[in-house]
Amino acid sequence: MSDDASADTPGPRHTAIIMDGNGRWAKARGRPRSFGHKRGVETVRKIVEHAGDLGVRYLTLFSFSTENWSRPADEVGALFELLKLYVEADLEGLARRGVRVRVIGRRDNLGPDLVAIIDRAEARTRDNDEFHLTIAFNYGGRDEILRACQAVARDVAAGALDPAALDEARLGEFLDTAALPDVDLMIRTSGEQRISNFLLWQAAYAELVFVDALWPDFSRDDLARAVDTYHQRARRYGGVDAGAA
Ligand code: IPE
Ligand code: IPE
Ligand code: MG
């Protein structure tokens, strides 16, 4: 994994992607939705391989939302199986390439076998710092904020935290993404233009780029174009452009 973005063109350091459109991709081919999800894993491999070249150092991928439980059981099962297969097949290669793997989202309603796989992936790559791949699985932004609030309340009740000492940075430490910087660029594929409960806190000032390609068709060139679009944006964070004052 190379990291050859030059210093004068810093990449969107943290890029988050809502990988959408697998079902439509499969339907267009007369195949079951799970076929689209399977093909989507190939896109994950490709994008993980190339993102570093485009200046991305933190890549966070939305792969199963807290709302996706409402899908048919066989589709939910297929998505769970694909996460296991992906980690089992790719973990060693990712680890050797210096990738740190994290999984964010709820754990308490996942099976022990899956939790064990997630724990193993995180432990195996704990010392890596070349590239940070975070998979949002069983993840919802509201759920994450809610769990953080519960943890804060527990600490306050135990006398370990003074409510007056709670600020944005401190609250951020209670989130699943405590170790990650804020999102710079959020991409959604498949033409839909919504956030669907992804990284609500972390993307407060992210640049949003919506791409028509369905996730199985999303290419390195599509990613490069989204990064170019990001570079054309003026990020103001509520201020004014430099020189405009
Ligand atoms: C993948 O695309 C996103 C996941 C929830 C895994 P979808 O399965 O949402 O595909 P579409 O949007 O129905 O085409
Ligand atoms: C968002 O896609 C969740 C993931 C990509 C994992 P959805 O397809 O579930 O979102 P909606 O239903 O179109 O908002
Ligand atoms: Mg969808």
Side-chain angles (χ1 to χ4, degrees), residues 133-212:
L133 171 64
T134 302
I135 299 168
F137 191 87
N138 198 22
Y139 175 87
R142 287 184 171 186
D143 174 73
E144 179 192 38
I145 292 168
L146 188 61
R147 284 185 288 107
C149 289
Q150 290 169 340
V152 165
R154 276 194 298 271
D155 280 5
V156 169
L161 177 66
D162 173 5
L166 187 68
D167 57 13
E168 291 185 7
R170 195 80 193 274
L171 183 57
E173 290 169 11
F174 284 89
L175 297 173
D176 296 347
T177 52
L180 309 179
D182 278 351
V183 176
D184 298 302
L185 168 62
M186 183 180 279
I187 298 170
R188 183 171 188 145
T189 60
S190 88
E192 306 290 359
Q193 303 195 356
R194 56 178 170 264
I195 310 256
S196 298
N197 203 13
F198 193 35
L199 299 172
L200 297 179
W201 175 276
Q202 300 85 346
Y205 267 102
E207 294 297 328
L208 307 180
V209 173
F210 300 102
V211 177
D212 283 335

Side-chain angles (χ1 to χ4, degrees), residues 18-24 33 68 71 188 190 192 194:
I18 301 172
M19 310 185 288
D20 198 16
N22 293 347
R24 278 163 281 171
R33 294 176 59 84
N68 287 150
R71 296 187 179 202
R188 183 171 188 145
S190 88
E192 306 290 359
R194 56 178 170 264

